[in-house]
Amino acid sequence: MNDDKQLRHPPEAAVFMNMCMVCDGDKVLALDKTGDAYHGTTFPGGHVEPGETFADAVIREIREETGLTIHNPVLKGIYHWYRDGAHDIGLLYRTGSFEGELSSSSEGRVYWITREEYEKKELAVGMGRVLQIMDNDDITECFMDVKDDGKVVEHMF
């Protein structure tokens, strides 16, 4: 056995997701998530399908949840954590380029809101950290480390 194989860890399960902050002037596109364990105000997004590129996935998810087709999504960072034996990895995008007519979906109600109003809403878990990544080019990663005692430690990079 060569040394490289001895240093490798067994593969872990990974779940890839995305989220996009769609901006229109001083407003952002908000999603009031309902009917799911993950609830509150968030940005639209969802899971990456097998064989799908990350960029195609975020464009598809935004179209499915909002009726809008986004263009030129810029990868701003990564938000990730472990849950149920899998590494959940959320890719965070931002764009101000889109077309189409806004419409809500089964994921929840979507609407334009000023950023100031957005931050006063009951935000979904972790959205405070997501906003930090979206706004700061020096912060590109947040890892939520849940300890055995249930304590959550956030690592921002």
Side-chain angles (χ1 to χ4, degrees):
M1 181 181 275
N2 88 31
D3 290 336
D4 288 341
K5 288 185 181 177
Q6 289 177 350
L7 296 176
R8 297 190 78 165
H9 298 283
E12 67 180 358
V15 177
F16 292 101
M17 296 162 278
N18 59 63
M19 179 179 286
C20 189
M21 180 181 191
V22 182
C23 304
D24 187 12
D26 69 337
K27 295 185 177 180
V28 295
L29 186 56
L31 168 66
D32 286 343
K33 191 91 163 140
T34 57
D36 194 316
Y38 184 69
H39 63 278
T41 302
T42 185
F43 296 128
H47 288 85
V48 177
E49 299 294 332
E52 189 174 40
T53 69
F54 296 137
D56 286 344
V58 73
I59 292 167
R60 176 187 52 75
E61 283 289 349
I62 301 311
R63 186 175 47 253
E64 289 175 1
E65 293 185 7
T66 72
L68 301 178
T69 299
I70 61 170
H71 306 286
N72 306 314
V74 174
L75 181 62
K76 295 295 292 178
I78 300 170
Y79 187 95
H80 59 119
W81 62 95
Y82 282 95
R83 178 182 58 187
D84 300 328
H87 192 164
D88 289 317
I89 303 164
L91 304 169
L92 306 176
Y93 292 88
R94 185 176 177 151
T95 189
S97 180
F98 59 89
E99 62 184 324
E101 187 173 322
L102 188 63
S103 62
S104 296
S105 73
S106 62
E107 294 290 326
R109 184 173 74 98
V110 290
Y111 54 96
W112 295 105
I113 187 172
T114 66
R115 178 62 184 273
E116 183 178 318
E117 292 171 307
Y118 184 92
E119 292 180 20
K120 292 178 183 174
K121 302 273 296 174
E122 181 184 333
L123 299 178
V125 173
M127 285 307 295
R129 295 298 186 216
V130 167
L131 289 170
Q132 284 184 284
I133 292 170
M134 294 292 191
D135 292 340
N136 188 333
D137 290 338
D138 293 330
I139 301 173
T140 59
E141 180 180 355
C142 179
F143 175 63
M144 301 297 291
D145 188 6
V146 181
K147 301 296 183 185
D148 290 337
D149 63 3
K151 183 179 177 185
V152 177
V153 179
E154 297 175 337
H155 302 276
M156 300 286 290
F157 305 97

